């Protein structure tokens, strides 16, 4: 892990009927990615790809939580939650090492990125 990785410190149609509206709301809820907290006391670098060689696109603030849209293998990094080569895609072109995200798992919690 590069020491610069962290610093301590829907398209559902609605016909208008109540049954359809409820089903639409449920479909939208199930399509949303679950959010996971970043390790406490850490500001994490968000990278343009799955490794510390990629450009930093932003830095997450303390106490942030992120969606995990998909995951991909990349550079092996050591962080508060262990050592892993899994990187979490949190937005288009934005990745954070899974070792800084409290997913409750050492493995994949989302589908592989395509």
């Amino acid at each position: 892990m590069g020491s610069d990785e962290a610093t301590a410190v829907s398209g559902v149609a609605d016909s208008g009927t109540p049954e359809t509206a409820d089903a639409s709301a449920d479909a939208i809820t199930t399509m949303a990615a679950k959010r996971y907290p970043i390790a406490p006391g850490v500001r994490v670098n968000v990278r343009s790809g799955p490794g510390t060689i990629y450009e930093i696109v932003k830095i997450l603030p303390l106490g942030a939580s992120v969606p995990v849209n998909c995951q991909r293998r990349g550079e092996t990094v050591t962080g508060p939650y262990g050592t892993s080569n899994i990187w979490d895609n949190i937005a288009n072109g934005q990745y954070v090492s899974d070792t800084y995200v409290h997913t409750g798992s050492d493995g994949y919690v989302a589908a592989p990125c395509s």
Side-chain angles (χ1 to χ4, degrees):
M1 175 188 100
S3 62
D4 71 334
E5 193 52 33
T7 305
V9 215
S10 125
V12 178
D14 182 5
S15 68
T17 64
E19 296 81 20
T20 304
D22 289 343
S24 296
D26 289 343
I28 291 169
T29 300
T30 57
M31 285 191 281
K34 181 176 178 184
R35 296 186 73 84
Y36 298 92
I38 296 296
V42 178
R43 297 183 62 210
V44 176
N45 293 330
V46 178
R47 304 278 181 167
S48 62
T52 59
I53 64 168
Y54 291 90
E55 176 184 358
I56 296 172
V57 295
K58 69 180 181 179
I59 300 173
L60 296 175
L62 294 173
S65 65
V66 295
V68 176
N69 301 317
C70 62
Q71 295 175 296
R72 80 172 20 159
R73 289 189 176 150
E75 177 184 352
T76 298
V77 171
T78 299
Y81 299 120
T83 300
S84 177
N85 68 346
I86 298 173
W87 286 72
D88 302 333
N89 174 269
I90 63 168
N92 189 25
Q94 297 183 16
Y95 292 86
V96 295
S97 169
D98 193 60
T99 64
Y100 288 90
V101 182
H102 189 263
T103 62
S105 172
D106 288 338
Y108 288 88
V109 297
C113 299
S114 53

